[in-house]
Amino acid sequence: MLRTDLDHAMHPREGSPAVRWRVSDGLVGYEEAVAEMEHQVALIAEGKADELVWLVEHPPLYTAGTSADSKDLIEPERFPVFATGRGGEYTYHGPGQRVAYVMLDLKRRRQDVRAYVAALEEVVIRTLDSMNVKGERREDRVGVWVRRPEKPVLPDGTMSEDKIAALGIRLRRWVSFHGLSINVDPDLSHFTGIVPCGISAYGVTSLVDLGLPVMMADVDMRLREAFEDVFGPTVNEG
């Protein structure tokens, strides 16, 4: 069930323009995406552009966050590996995964990094909830998780859980970039080349793996609705 409160809301101050909403077709190269984020973040920080959410899919690749441990890169030759300034460890991006790059000016909202991360998690949880998937936070693990009672219990006797969404952010002059990814229908075998986010005890899942043959456009619509609940209005770019 969706929350009825807005404990995690980070709406902008009154009178702020709507967040631009951009969706790219096809696969966007990672270096191209980072360059565009750098450009947009600079414009937003200088007050020359409105905030932006940019939805993309990438070709298969691994990224290393600022806490990445080289031993967690199991197959370094499998896909290109990109060092990135976001927080976190190794993660995978590829076709069938919706990546949302979120470029918001927290000076217009709430200058609280923990609250911002919680708000992004809330967007994912609400998106999943609209498809009858219960996503959950874990205090000791970043991202959004789903319980898998049909799988064998873990060695410590607890229920199996799989990660369905990853988060990794960076701030510059209180403008955010990088963001979140939701596994819609990626090739889950591609995750085996790394220890995702440095966590080996748990698996990775997707909406299709959970039995939901959804289209990316449907996920995008639900993601946008959840984003507006938490962060306020959006407008199609251009």
Side-chain angles (χ1 to χ4, degrees):
M1 180 176 295
L2 284 175
R3 295 168 180 263
T4 55
D5 60 78
L6 284 176
D7 287 348
H8 297 284
M10 291 192 71
H11 286 214
R13 59 175 176 256
E14 190 173 350
S16 296
V19 176
R20 291 176 291 151
W21 194 266
R22 178 193 299 181
V23 183
S24 287
D25 295 326
L27 300 180
V28 177
Y30 189 75
E31 291 174 314
E32 173 190 345
V34 171
E36 175 64 3
M37 274 194 290
E38 295 272 359
H39 175 65
Q40 292 292 332
V41 165
L43 292 176
I44 294 166
E46 294 165 8
K48 296 178 180 178
D50 295 334
E51 298 169 307
L52 172 66
V53 172
W54 182 22
L55 305 187
V56 306
E57 287 179 83
H58 287 306
L61 59 94
Y62 298 129
T63 65
T66 55
S67 302
D69 187 328
S70 59
K71 73 178 187 332
D72 291 335
L73 182 58
I74 299 169
E75 298 181 47
E77 305 301 322
R78 187 171 185 182
F79 298 124
V81 181
F82 296 93
T84 178
R86 62 158 175 80
E89 302 182 53
Y90 283 104
T91 193
Y92 166 78
H93 294 312
Q97 182 190 69
R98 175 51 85 207
V99 177
Y101 289 127
V102 184
M103 291 158 266
L104 301 180
D105 186 353
L106 300 192
K107 296 190 301 295
R108 307 180 196 177
R109 297 170 180 274
R110 184 175 170 190
Q111 291 176 257
D112 184 326
V113 176
R114 291 176 64 88
Y116 175 61
V117 171
L120 288 179
E121 290 174 335
E122 183 70 11
V123 168
V124 174
I125 289 169
R126 286 170 179 251
T127 301
L128 297 175
D129 190 272
S130 71
M131 293 178 281
N132 296 312
V133 174
K134 182 175 176 55
E136 299 181 78
R137 296 177 177 86
R138 292 292 177 261
E139 290 298 322
D140 58 339
R141 291 178 258 136
V142 176
V144 177
W145 302 79
V146 293
R147 302 187 189 205
R148 304 301 301 271
E150 73 279 13
K151 289 189 172 185
V153 298
L154 297 173
D156 64 0
T158 59
M159 184 184 298
S160 288
E161 296 182 344
D162 287 343
K163 191 172 193 175
I164 194 167
L167 283 83
I169 68 161
R170 186 178 179 184
L171 295 178
R172 180 177 298 150
R173 296 167 61 185
W174 285 103
V175 179
S176 67
F177 53 126
H178 298 282
L180 61 88
S181 61
I182 300 175
N183 295 332
V184 180
D185 187 22
D187 185 337
L188 295 179
S189 72
H190 289 179
F191 286 88
T192 61
I194 57 172
V195 178
C197 301
I199 301 170
S200 59
Y202 302 92
V204 180
T205 191
S206 68
L207 291 170
V208 170
D209 183 51
L210 292 173
L212 292 171
V214 294
M215 302 297 290
M216 190 69 76
D218 186 43
V219 175
D220 289 349
M221 178 187 69
R222 296 168 186 272
L223 177 64
R224 187 170 184 172
E225 291 172 351
F227 179 89
E228 290 184 334
D229 283 345
V230 176
F231 286 103
T234 64
V235 61
N236 290 333
E237 189 179 53

